[in-house]
Amino acid sequence: MAEPVLARANTESREFRAPLEHMIAALPKPEEDVIERSAVDNLTCAAKTGQGSLHQLVMDLHKVLNTMQAELSEEHLDGASVYRIDAADRPLISAFMAELNRSAGLKFSHPGLGTTVTRAGD
Amino acid sequence: MVIQNDIGTTNAHVMVIHVKGMRVQITHMDIHPERIQFLRDMLKGYEVSWGKELNRQADAGLSGVSFQLVQGQFAAKDSTELLNYLKFLGSGLVFLIDWNRARKELRGFLKGKDRLALLARAAEQEIGQGGFLELEGANLINRAIEQRRDSAMHFGDRLCDILGDEGAVEFLRFVFRAAMEGLRDHQSPGLTQDRGRAWAVLANWTSKANGD
């Protein structure tokens, strides 16, 4: 999951490399196939800013991957970044986005509602 | 087809919508279980089959937050219902943004169940909480109260203790609508905050509370 982000030689990728290597090195070694509960919590909790966990790192990587995916999108359809969709998907996406765009003004200055559409498993 | 929406861009709050044929699966990840319930209630007009919520509870001594993952399956009868469901989902996501923040902002004014009902109704009526929060939420109300010199409110009072539950809810509904409409119609925030109809309504009710 981290490889596409790390492969980009930019500041963002450098920011991920050190904490990722540190967390992988610090992963607890299971003894007799048992791992401490606290270790599981440390791995899976969504820690607050500045208190990184592996789970937090995965979520941050996910965000970067979303951005990268949007950059790869073949087109924007009614505000959605779309990638390798079928013709039959278009009316569904348009229906979803029409209502999303109509109501989006109610978030005022708050960011959000970024939408990406693709196909999976085809 | 997979639709992913980042909703409010905050951590652990993402919706992924899988569409396959007439079947739609929502996967929603959220740190606020109350907001998941709000989503479920919002979709109650459709026969959504909800799976078990997967919980992550960190130990009390840890600083990590817990979050939940829930999936909801919906099978549309035909393409029209499929489109309608997707439209409804598209129209409703905005009401998930800052939902919990609004709930917190309302603590000083309404009881728990009334806060939830207010936010649900604001979504049903396509008003939402965004305008209220944009105009500083609780501060908007507190300033109005402070400006009312003969207010029956005192430090520590909740608005519902003074106006009664029904009166406080009615007032907050009005504030939500006034904030949304004021921003939508490009009125100055000052106008909405200081001289809007909300002020007049609060003044009247405060007078009632004072026995005027």
Side-chain angles (χ1 to χ4, degrees), chain A residues 37 41-42 44-48 51 55-56 59-60 62-63 66 89 91-93 95-96 99-100 102-104 106-120, chain B residues 1-12 17 19 29 57 59 62-65 67 82-83 86-87 89-91 93-95 97-98 126-127 130-131 134 180 183-184:
Chain A
R37 179 184 172 138
D41 286 335
N42 282 330
T44 58
C45 71
K48 292 171 184 170
Q51 300 168 318
H55 181 79
Q56 184 68 49
M59 288 201 293
D60 291 342
H62 199 169
K63 281 186 179 176
N66 286 346
D89 298 331
L92 302 178
I93 298 168
F96 177 81
E99 285 298 299
L100 185 137
R102 184 183 64 77
S103 60
L106 293 173
K107 69 183 175 63
F108 296 101
S109 65
H110 199 292
L113 299 180
T115 306
T116 307
V117 187
T118 189
R119 282 202 154 252
Chain B
M1 178 179 68
V2 182
I3 301 172
Q4 178 173 311
N5 191 282
D6 293 339
I7 309 181
T9 72
T10 52
N11 288 339
I17 303 164
V19 183
M29 182 176 170
Q57 290 286 344
D59 280 345
L62 296 174
S63 57
V65 294
F67 63 91
L82 176 65
L83 279 173
L86 289 173
K87 284 180 184 175
L89 285 175
S91 71
L93 294 185
V94 71
F95 304 118
I97 296 175
D98 268 351
E126 299 206 319
I127 293 169
E134 191 85 1
M180 183 276 284
L183 289 166
R184 182 197 63 192

Side-chain angles (χ1 to χ4, degrees), chain A residues 26-47:
Chain A
L27 282 177
K29 305 290 184 292
E31 293 181 8
E32 297 179 353
D33 293 334
V34 175
I35 192 169
E36 292 288 334
R37 179 184 172 138
S38 61
V40 175
D41 286 335
N42 282 330
L43 285 170
T44 58
C45 71

Side-chain angles (χ1 to χ4, degrees), chain B:
Chain B
M1 178 179 68
V2 182
I3 301 172
Q4 178 173 311
N5 191 282
D6 293 339
I7 309 181
T9 72
T10 52
N11 288 339
H13 193 205
V14 176
M15 181 179 284
V16 179
I17 303 164
H18 286 80
V19 183
K20 190 168 187 177
M22 293 294 134
R23 303 186 73 84
V24 181
Q25 176 180 278
I26 298 168
T27 302
H28 184 71
M29 182 176 170
D30 205 318
I31 60 172
H32 302 298
E34 297 89 352
R35 187 162 53 188
I36 290 179
Q37 187 58 48
F38 169 76
L39 171 68
R40 294 170 74 140
D41 290 343
M42 194 164 66
L43 295 175
K44 65 188 175 191
Y46 292 89
E47 288 185 23
V48 178
S49 173
W50 294 97
K52 187 179 177 185
E53 291 181 18
L54 302 175
N55 299 296
R56 292 287 185 195
Q57 290 286 344
D59 280 345
L62 296 174
S63 57
V65 294
S66 60
F67 63 91
Q68 291 184 311
L69 187 77
V70 66
Q71 291 187 322
Q73 308 266 0
F74 175 69
K77 291 196 299 278
D78 51 34
S79 57
T80 301
E81 193 177 47
L82 176 65
L83 279 173
N84 287 339
Y85 184 60
L86 289 173
K87 284 180 184 175
F88 190 76
L89 285 175
S91 71
L93 294 185
V94 71
F95 304 118
L96 298 172
I97 296 175
D98 268 351
W99 180 90
N100 200 60
R101 188 177 147 220
R103 192 169 66 100
K104 286 182 179 174
E105 292 280 318
L106 292 168
R107 276 180 184 160
F109 311 111
L110 300 177
K111 291 174 181 163
K113 65 178 177 53
D114 288 334
R115 296 200 298 268
L116 300 179
L118 175 73
L119 293 170
R121 187 178 167 109
E124 285 168 12
Q125 297 188 328
E126 299 206 319
I127 293 169
Q129 59 273 3
F132 169 69
L133 294 172
E134 191 85 1
L135 295 180
E136 298 184 44
N139 285 340
L140 174 69
I141 312 296
N142 287 331
R143 271 198 294 271
I145 293 169
E146 286 166 9
Q147 287 170 14
R148 178 75 187 184
R149 279 184 226 165
D150 59 345
S151 168
M153 293 283 291
H154 299 99
F155 183 75
D157 285 344
R158 281 203 297 188
L159 195 66
C160 57
D161 297 328
I162 303 302
L163 301 180
D165 293 339
E166 194 177 330
V169 166
E170 195 176 338
F171 173 64
L172 264 300
R173 279 182 194 160
F174 179 82
V175 170
F176 268 48
R177 180 178 287 280
M180 183 276 284
E181 291 177 346
L183 289 166
R184 182 197 63 192
D185 299 339
H186 306 293
Q187 295 172 4
S188 73
L191 181 65
T192 305
Q193 286 175 347
D194 300 332
R195 292 186 292 138
R197 289 173 294 169
W199 166 248
V201 172
L202 177 61
N204 286 338
W205 281 345
T206 309
S207 295
K208 285 179 191 171
N210 282 331
D212 296 346

Side-chain angles (χ1 to χ4, degrees), chain A residues 1 5 13 24-25 30 45 48 51-52 66 71 85 114-115:
Chain A
M1 181 181 184
V5 177
S13 70
I24 290 173
C45 71
K48 292 171 184 170
Q51 300 168 318
N66 286 346
E71 290 169 357
I85 58 167
T115 306

